[in-house]
């Protein structure tokens, strides 16, 4: 996955969210925190979408 030079560009995961609101917190997290932060981010996203996406 290529990290955009501008965090406001769309995230390369095709979520249609800006990178800064999608994978940036996960990608920049320390290795030991990445899994927990990833779970948290996805949980929030699923919650906001009503578990449809
Ligand atoms: Zn993403």
């Amino acid at each position: 996955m290529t990290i955009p030079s501008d965090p406001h560009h769309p995230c390369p995961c095709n979520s249609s969210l800006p990178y800064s609101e999608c994978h940036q917190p996960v990608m920049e997290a320390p290795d030991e925190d990445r899994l927990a932060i990833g779970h948290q981010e996805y949980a929030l996203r699923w919650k906001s979408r009503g578990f449809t996406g």
Side-chain angles (χ1 to χ4, degrees):
M1 192 157 84
T2 305
I3 295 174
S5 54
D6 183 338
H8 295 101
H9 287 176
C11 189
C13 77
N14 294 326
S15 66
S16 78
L17 291 168
Y19 177 64
S20 63
E21 293 180 22
C22 189
H23 275 84
Q24 188 178 34
V26 181
M27 298 299 282
E28 294 187 352
D31 281 344
E32 64 268 28
D33 291 343
R34 187 166 293 138
L35 190 61
I37 291 175
H39 284 164
Q40 185 181 45
E41 290 291 314
Y42 281 111
L44 287 171
R45 203 152 302 134
W46 288 333
K47 189 179 174 187
S48 70
R49 287 184 182 180
F51 293 90
T52 57

